[in-house]
Amino acid sequence: MSDVTPTHNPDVLDCLANLSNDEVFTPPRVANAMLDLLPQSLFADPEATFLDPCCKSGVFLREIAKRLLVGLEPTFPDLQARLDHILRRQLFGLAITELTALTSRRTLYCSKVADGRYALSHFDAPEGNILFPETRHEWVNGRCRLCGVSQDTLKDRKETHAYAFIHGINPERLFKMKFDVIIGNPPYQLATSGTSAQAIPLYNRFVTQAISLKPRYLCMIIPARWYTGGMGLDAFRAEMLTDRRMRELHDFLNSSECFAGVEIKGGVCYFLWDSKYSGDCAIYTHSNRAVVAAGKRPLLEKGLDTFIRHEHGVNIVRKVAARGEPSFSSLVNPQKFFDLPTKFRGSETASGASDIRVFQRNGIGYINANEVPARREWITKWKIYISEAYGAGEDFPHQILGVPLLGEPPSVCTETYITIGPFDNRCQTVNAMGYITTKFFRFLVMLKKLTQHASAKVYQLVPLQDFSKPWTDEALYAKYGLSAEEITFIEAMVKPMEV
C-alpha cells in the first residue's frame, strides 16, 4: 500500500482571477450545468456546430470538446482524426479581448497559437477558430450607436470594449458556418460615464444578437436584474418574458453560488432557449446550493410587467391580486421630492421659529421652511421617510428595506429618502409604518426589488390597507388566505424589523 498522499489537482480554470465584476470567468461546473440543459444527442452528432460569442477562458468550448470526444468515438475511432474534426469543424469562438483570445486558445488547443507545434490540431493560422476581430465603436454625440457606452467612459482605458459580436461582426459570415448552439457568459455592463455609478447593460445585446442568428439552441448566463428593472432593459424584458421559446430557466438568488467571491446584485440566471419549442418555461429557483422551488409556467404572470422569481411568490401574488385592492405604490412619491440633494446638510440646530427638521444622510439637520426648493405644502403633512437605497448582501433571510422613519410635521427630507404619504394623522402614519415592517409587506417588495434601489415601482405588488388600525403578519396571512407552506416561505426569506 502506497504511503504517498494524493495530490490535489484543481482545474486551472477554477483558479483564474476575474477580469472584473462585469467580465466574469465561468467555473467549469457552471459551464457543465449549462451544457446539461442541451439534448445530449448533440454531442454524438458530427454535424453539430457550437459558438461561444464572448470567449474569456475558453471553458465552454473545452467542455463541449470533452463531450464530443466521447460522443463521436464510434464515428471517428482514431483519436487524432476525432480531435481534428471537432476542433476544426465544430467549435468556434469570438474572444472579448486579445488576452482572452490567447487564453481560450491555450485552453482549447493546448497552445496559444493554433498553428504551433504543440497544438492538439494543426491549423494554417495562429487564430484557429477562436478569433478576436478588430472592431470599433460608432460614436454619435459622444455615445456608441451600437452598444450605448459613452465615449468618456473609455478615454482612460486600454481596452476599447467594442465587443465584436455586438459591433457588426456576423460570425456566420466570418466562419462561413451556421450554428446549432450559441452558448456563453457575456460581459454584463459598462459605466455610462467616467464618474457615474450607473452602468449600461450589455448582456441583453448579446442575447438579442444571438437570437437574431436563429440558432437551434441558445444558452447564456446573465444577471437576473433584467426580470424587473435595469436601464434600457424594458424592451428586452418584454421580449424575453413573452418568448415562448424559453424552455428552461435556472434562477440563482445569490450570485456567489455560480461565481465565488463575486456579488452581482439580484443574483444571476442561465437559460435554455429552444427555437423549436413553444410552451411554458420550466423554472428552478436555487438557494443555498439547492433547488428550493421548481415549476412550469409562463414567465410573465397575467396583469404584470415583471417576472416573479419564486414559485410561492406567484401563488401569493395571485391571492393578493384576486381582491382587487389599490397598490401601496400610490402613496410612494418620486425621488428628489423636496429637491434637496443627498449632499445637502442642514444646520445642526434650529435658529428660528421657521426652521424645520430635514431628514438627511446620517441624521437630522435644520432648514428654513422658506428655503425648501419644492413642495413646501407637504411640510405640514404627516408622512413616512424610507431609504431610497438599501442593500445588505445577497444572503437570506434579508431585511429588504431600510427602517421607516416617522415624518412628523413640520419636516422634509433629502433625496436619500423616499417620501410616503400623506396621511391624515399620527395614528394612520404609525399604522402604515407598522405595515411596512411586516414580513408580508417586504416579501411583496422583494419580488420586484432585485437591486439596492427602492423607487415607487418596487411597491406595486403591495396592496393598500385601511390604516385606521394596525396590521400584523398574522392578520395579513389570514386576510389573504396564505397556506402554511407559503407563510413558512415568507418567514424564511424576510428578517424581522422593528421601528
Side-chain angles (χ1 to χ4, degrees):
M1 187 173 179
S2 174
D3 293 330
V4 177
T5 302
T7 302
H8 177 51
N9 185 25
D11 189 328
V12 67
L13 297 190
D14 270 324
C15 305
L16 294 176
N18 289 312
L19 301 174
S20 71
N21 274 16
D22 300 320
E23 294 176 335
V24 181
F25 288 120
T26 311
R29 62 175 178 81
V30 175
N32 276 295
M34 293 169 65
L35 290 172
D36 288 343
L37 302 186
L38 296 167
Q40 298 305 292
S41 58
L42 283 167
F43 304 111
D45 182 357
E47 301 301 320
T49 53
F50 303 81
L51 171 71
D52 180 350
C54 36
C55 288
K56 292 188 282 293
S57 69
V59 65
F60 287 103
L61 298 179
R62 186 193 72 175
E63 297 306 310
I64 294 169
K66 288 161 67 174
R67 296 185 183 217
L68 289 170
L69 279 169
V70 175
L72 293 180
E73 185 172 6
T75 307
F76 299 97
D78 179 74
L79 177 59
Q80 189 58 53
R82 194 156 73 249
L83 276 169
D84 290 342
H85 179 84
I86 292 168
L87 299 181
R88 295 180 190 177
R89 301 188 179 278
Q90 292 189 273
L91 301 182
F92 303 84
L94 295 177
I96 64 169
T97 66
E98 186 174 0
L99 174 62
T100 62
L102 295 170
T103 303
S104 296
R105 290 179 202 130
R106 178 66 179 81
T107 297
L108 184 61
Y109 305 138
C110 293
S111 172
K112 67 180 181 181
V113 287
D115 60 351
R117 62 182 294 189
Y118 298 111
L120 291 178
S121 181
H122 186 80
F123 286 80
D124 294 331
E127 296 86 359
N129 284 335
I130 300 177
L131 307 184
F132 177 56
E134 182 178 353
T135 52
R136 293 193 175 122
H137 294 285
E138 295 185 13
W139 303 115
V140 177
N141 298 323
R143 194 172 295 281
C144 177
R145 180 183 67 82
L146 298 171
C147 73
V149 69
S150 75
Q151 206 163 2
D152 286 344
T153 300
L154 302 176
K155 63 183 179 183
D156 296 322
R157 301 194 188 192
K158 294 182 180 179
E159 291 289 349
T160 66
H161 300 282
Y163 304 115
F165 192 60
I166 58 173
H167 282 81
I169 298 296
N170 186 323
E172 292 183 344
R173 289 199 287 268
L174 188 66
F175 292 110
K176 298 180 175 60
M177 182 69 63
K178 179 70 179 173
F179 298 103
D180 297 299
V181 177
I182 298 179
I183 187 168
N185 177 12
Y188 294 159
Q189 64 185 32
L190 274 178
T192 54
S193 70
T195 58
S196 174
Q198 288 186 313
I200 191 163
L202 297 176
Y203 59 89
N204 54 308
R205 298 172 187 267
F206 278 83
V207 174
T208 301
Q209 179 64 11
I211 290 175
S212 74
L213 295 178
K214 299 179 180 179
R216 177 68 174 88
Y217 301 100
L218 169 63
C219 187
M220 283 191 173
I221 182 166
I222 59 178
R225 52 182 172 263
W226 69 268
Y227 297 162
T228 65
M231 183 168 56
L233 288 174
D234 289 348
F236 175 72
R237 178 167 50 256
E239 290 168 6
M240 291 288 280
L241 294 182
T242 56
D243 193 335
R244 302 284 284 171
R245 295 169 293 184
M246 288 285 285
R247 189 181 194 108
E248 194 165 329
L249 175 72
H250 288 257
D251 180 28
F252 292 81
L253 307 183
N254 190 329
S255 62
S256 66
E257 293 192 22
C258 289
F259 306 114
V262 177
E263 184 181 39
I264 300 169
K265 292 294 185 184
V268 296
C269 67
Y270 56 75
F271 62 87
L272 176 65
W273 178 94
D274 180 344
S275 64
K276 294 184 179 179
Y277 178 74
S278 179
D280 290 346
C281 184
I283 300 166
Y284 300 87
T285 304
H286 298 252
S287 183
N288 297 321
R289 307 236 173 240
V291 174
V292 295
K296 197 168 188 179
R297 55 184 169 92
L299 289 175
L300 189 62
E301 186 70 11
K302 186 178 180 180
L304 299 181
D305 62 354
T306 57
F307 170 65
I308 303 300
R309 69 192 311 184
H310 307 279
E311 196 68 19
H312 290 304
V314 174
N315 295 329
I316 293 167
V317 167
R318 288 172 181 168
K319 290 179 178 180
V320 170
R323 299 183 70 96
E325 296 168 318
S327 171
F328 185 87
S329 62
S330 63
L331 293 178
V332 182
N333 294 290
Q335 198 179 2
K336 302 182 182 179
F337 194 61
F338 295 102
D339 206 17
L340 291 169
T342 295
K343 64 182 180 181
F344 174 85
R345 292 293 178 271
S347 303
E348 291 186 5
T349 59
S351 59
S354 59
D355 278 7
I356 62 171
R357 287 176 302 157
V358 54
F359 286 71
Q360 58 193 25
R361 179 179 288 179
N362 299 325
I364 294 176
Y366 292 87
I367 184 174
N368 188 290
N370 296 320
E371 295 176 358
V372 175
R375 298 183 177 88
R376 293 176 189 169
E377 69 275 14
W378 277 69
I379 290 174
T380 58
K381 297 181 185 292
W382 284 93
K383 47 207 174 283
I384 296 169
Y385 302 128
I386 194 165
S387 297
E388 187 279 331
Y390 179 83
E394 297 184 290
D395 293 331
F396 290 91
H398 197 298
Q399 187 170 297
I400 313 302
L401 292 169
V403 175
L405 304 173
L406 181 65
E408 185 175 10
S411 69
V412 293
C413 68
T414 68
E415 65 176 298
T416 297
Y417 297 98
I418 295 289
T419 301
I420 298 174
F423 301 95
D424 292 338
N425 50 53
R426 182 188 186 95
C427 178
Q428 284 190 358
T429 313
V430 171
N431 288 339
M433 290 174 67
Y435 182 44
I436 291 171
T437 67
T438 65
K439 293 182 179 181
F440 172 86
F441 182 103
R442 290 178 288 126
F443 176 80
L444 292 173
V445 169
M446 181 192 72
L447 297 179
K448 294 204 68 169
K449 183 180 180 289
L450 298 191
T451 67
Q452 66 177 348
H453 298 289
S455 60
K457 68 181 180 181
V458 307
Y459 297 88
Q460 287 174 353
L461 299 179
V462 182
L464 195 61
Q465 305 296 341
D466 173 9
F467 295 125
S468 66
K469 60 181 182 180
W471 289 94
T472 64
D473 275 313
E474 291 71 23
L476 292 162
Y477 296 155
K479 176 179 176 178
Y480 295 101
L482 302 194
S483 69
E485 190 176 12
E486 289 163 352
I487 293 170
T488 299
F489 186 69
I490 291 176
E491 297 282 333
M493 296 298 289
V494 185
K495 283 183 179 179
M497 178 196 283
E498 293 184 5
V499 178

